[in-house]
Amino acid sequence: MSEKILYDVKDLRLACEGKKRIDWAFREMPVLGILRKRESPKLFKNLVIGACLHITSETANLIICLRNCGAKVFLAASNPLSTQDDVAACLVKDYDVSVFGIRGETKEKYNEHIKQVALRKPHLIIDDGADLIAYLHNNPDFSINVIGATEETTTGVRRIKNIERQGKLLFPVIGVNNAQTKYLFDNRYGTGQSTIDGILRATNILIAGKTVVVCGYGWCGRGIAKNLKGMGARVIVTEVSPIRALEAVMDGFQVMKIEQAASTADIFITATGNARVISRSVFLKMKDGAIIANAGHFNVEIDVLTLEKISKKISEVKPLVKEFILTTGKKIYLLAEGRLVNLGCAEGHPSSVMDMSFACQFLSLKYFVSNNDIPIKYHDVPSEIDQEIALLKLTGMGVDIDKLTEFQKKYLDSWNFD
Ligand SMILES: NC(=O)c1ccc[n+]([C@@H]2O[C@H](COP(=O)([O-])OP(=O)(O)OC[C@H]3O[C@@H](n4cnc5c(N)ncnc54)[C@H](O)[C@@H]3O)[C@@H](O)[C@H]2O)c1
């Protein structure tokens, strides 16, 4: 470790464990492995990258890849509960990366860590949830060098589009979340599996035979619902979009209002990107012993403040399992403080899906440094990048697919079949 590295991590002595975890994740990240070998060590030379991401072993592999291409990286946590302290230590000690993140940090510390990254006046930004991008927009002096930014998640993309709608966007942003190689896999299969992993690690309950309410049938919600069904749960979906609700019905789920579902379920999972999806009237109708967890980006989907207000006693009965005894005597259990349960109670998405999301991050940053005059607006990931990642992933999995013949290309491009 060079002496000048700035950082705030729990304990550098954890680095050795972190290294093992990072190497283990890399086994399942063949696309990032190809990019690591293929891309020039000068691609990001003299560039400062400011990142605000969950500090996990998969993120570490992305950061190492960026560093191998010449970037100087400053990394802050994108959630107070998601940092793997051993991984953070390893990035500092073994890779000279400036990391600011400690699992369980306070909201104040979390904001201070984001500020530490912004202070470096980065050239490129990688964000997950848009907290760093929002900070740069509220403190524009730190954004003067920004060439472009990428955003990892649905909620972050929505925030960026809101900034753009108000005419306040200061630099171009690519919405990595909206690439097909991201949301079709990361949100659906990644969240679908890791959310249940988080609930199981925290509670060790049997899913089979339980009634589970999944709020939101978007890319995350449908992955969660499908896996729960496969494990023998009776799944009820709640939605506000008629199209998504109809899809859920035709996928074989019961769909009803949350107020109606409230008294029937054993477990509630939110994945909407919205606020106060589960609030007072729903808490009051819940069964004794109901378990609540959130998979959406921010800890606003479950109205925890109100739950606290209507409780007479609150205690932690297991790590990250809080028991709320309501004034009526009923008990409700909240996982991971209402924050992302897959990162709070488990290890986040499997490396194999993050491989694609982070390859998309890497290639989107490459797009910014390889193209001039990119307009200051929101951009989708260029479709060539999406196609390339899918092909690389298939190659990594040893799967070969057919190619269009010249005859087929001509047929598909024609309209007059006589
Ligand atoms: N846990 C993770 O690791 C992880 C991974 C990816 C995305 N996310 C986050 O999960 C959230 C959902 O992402 P997505 O990609 O599924 O979004 P999405 O937009 O595809 O789906 C969200 C769904 O929720 C529905 N909804 C909104 N308000 C609702 C309400 N009050 N009641 C019921 N349904 C409601 C919407 O109609 C929509 O169908 C976002 O916050 C996203 O950032 C988390």
Side-chain angles (χ1 to χ4, degrees):
M1 189 180 87
S2 102
E3 276 177 20
K4 285 189 190 143
I5 288 293
L6 292 165
Y7 64 89
D8 188 14
V9 300
K10 187 170 183 193
D11 185 351
L12 285 183
R13 287 170 300 183
L14 299 171
C16 182
E17 281 311 303
K19 177 86 174 72
K20 287 184 203 160
R21 214 200 263 248
I22 294 168
D23 291 347
W24 177 256
F26 189 61
R27 291 171 53 259
E28 286 268 307
M29 304 184 86
V31 182
L32 221 46
I34 291 168
L35 297 178
R36 216 190 258 192
K37 280 201 201 120
R38 184 186 84 180
E39 297 297 333
S40 159
K42 293 186 181 154
L43 182 63
F44 299 119
K45 195 164 177 246
N46 298 328
L47 294 179
V48 172
I49 298 182
C52 179
L53 295 167
H54 300 295
I55 303 175
T56 63
S57 50
E58 293 77 23
T59 297
N61 279 302
L62 168 65
I63 302 297
I64 293 165
C65 202
L66 295 168
R67 204 187 147 278
N68 287 356
C69 291
K72 196 165 168 37
V73 186
F74 292 83
L75 170 66
S78 61
N79 185 295
L81 260 192
S82 63
T83 299
Q84 294 169 353
D85 289 317
D86 50 1
V87 167
C90 176
L91 279 173
V92 175
K93 192 158 180 249
D94 300 336
Y95 296 98
D96 280 353
V97 178
S98 285
V99 181
F100 305 91
I102 299 172
R103 186 179 165 86
E105 64 198 11
T106 60
K107 184 81 184 146
E108 292 69 38
K109 196 65 154 172
Y110 173 79
N111 290 333
E112 172 59 27
H113 283 159
I114 288 177
K115 182 179 170 190
Q116 283 302 320
V117 171
L119 280 175
R120 311 303 140 200
K121 297 188 176 161
H123 301 98
L124 291 164
I125 304 294
I126 315 176
D127 214 343
D128 185 341
D131 277 350
L132 177 56
I133 291 173
Y135 187 89
L136 289 167
H137 279 78
N138 287 324
N139 300 274
D141 289 352
F142 300 136
S143 75
I144 47 171
N145 294 329
V146 179
I147 304 165
T150 57
E151 170 51 50
E152 171 77 5
T153 197
T154 317
T155 286
V157 167
R158 211 194 47 246
R159 289 178 87 185
I160 283 147
K161 288 186 174 173
N162 288 342
I163 301 176
E164 185 182 45
R165 229 186 328 272
Q166 289 179 14
K168 292 185 176 161
L169 198 61
L170 295 176
F171 40 77
V173 184
I174 294 180
V176 164
N177 179 75
N178 292 9
Q180 292 184 78
T181 47
K182 202 283 182 179
Y183 68 83
L184 288 177
F185 303 94
D186 173 315
N187 300 28
R188 183 165 45 169
Y189 298 108
T191 315
Q193 179 172 309
S194 60
T195 297
I196 299 170
D197 185 18
I199 293 171
L200 293 182
R201 289 199 207 191
T203 63
N204 197 26
I205 50 160
L206 182 70
I207 296 290
K210 295 281 192 305
T211 298
V212 187
V213 170
V214 176
C215 302
Y217 200 64
W219 293 107
C220 295
R222 62 187 74 184
I224 298 167
K226 180 172 168 250
N227 286 348
L228 288 167
K229 189 178 177 181
M231 294 173 83
R234 191 171 77 92
V235 181
I236 298 172
V237 168
T238 70
E239 250 299 341
V240 292
S241 149
I243 310 270
R244 293 260 168 108
L246 199 53
E247 271 189 279
V249 171
M250 297 219 182
D251 285 345
F253 298 106
Q254 254 191 302
V255 176
M256 59 180 82
K257 287 186 169 186
I258 183 74
E259 296 283 343
Q260 213 184 331
S263 58
T264 62
D266 304 294
I267 306 170
F268 295 79
I269 304 170
T270 51
T272 68
N274 207 342
R276 295 189 192 169
V277 177
I278 296 189
S279 54
R280 186 188 164 88
S281 57
V282 182
F283 296 133
L284 292 176
K285 287 192 182 120
M286 280 179 183
K287 283 205 291 201
D288 185 36
I291 294 171
I292 327 174
N294 168 48
H297 187 80
F298 285 117
N299 61 336
V300 294
E301 306 214 8
I302 300 161
D303 186 357
V304 180
L305 274 181
T306 297
L307 183 57
E308 284 169 0
K309 275 188 204 146
I310 60 172
S311 298
K312 61 179 178 194
K313 189 170 171 229
I314 303 168
S315 55
E316 193 166 53
V317 290
K318 265 175 123 264
L320 293 166
V321 181
K322 254 191 193 165
E323 181 183 74
F324 292 77
I325 305 182
L326 273 51
T327 43
T328 56
K330 183 168 70 182
K331 290 176 182 161
I332 291 177
Y333 296 95
L334 175 70
L335 309 190
E337 300 168 10
R339 298 186 187 279
L340 292 162
V341 71
N342 57 333
L343 284 138
C345 298
E347 294 173 70
H349 290 0
S351 317
S352 180
V353 283
M354 294 317 294
D355 187 31
M356 284 189 280
S357 308
F358 284 163
C360 204
Q361 289 283 6
F362 184 97
L363 291 174
S364 297
L365 293 182
K366 181 181 174 187
Y367 180 82
F368 278 126
V369 295
S370 314
N371 292 279
N372 294 324
D373 302 324
I374 296 173
I376 298 179
K377 64 185 194 71
Y378 168 82
H379 300 261
D380 277 331
V381 171
S383 122
E384 318 81 74
I385 293 183
D386 231 358
Q387 297 290 329
E388 184 189 359
I389 293 168
L391 259 182
L392 290 176
K393 188 69 179 172
L394 286 169
T395 308
M397 296 165 96
V399 177
D400 215 358
I401 58 166
D402 289 321
K403 283 196 174 68
L404 288 172
T405 63
E406 284 310 313
F407 177 84
Q408 287 169 338
K409 278 188 202 160
K410 226 166 138 188
Y411 174 79
L412 292 173
D413 287 343
S414 58
W415 63 276
N416 192 351
F417 294 129
D418 289 333

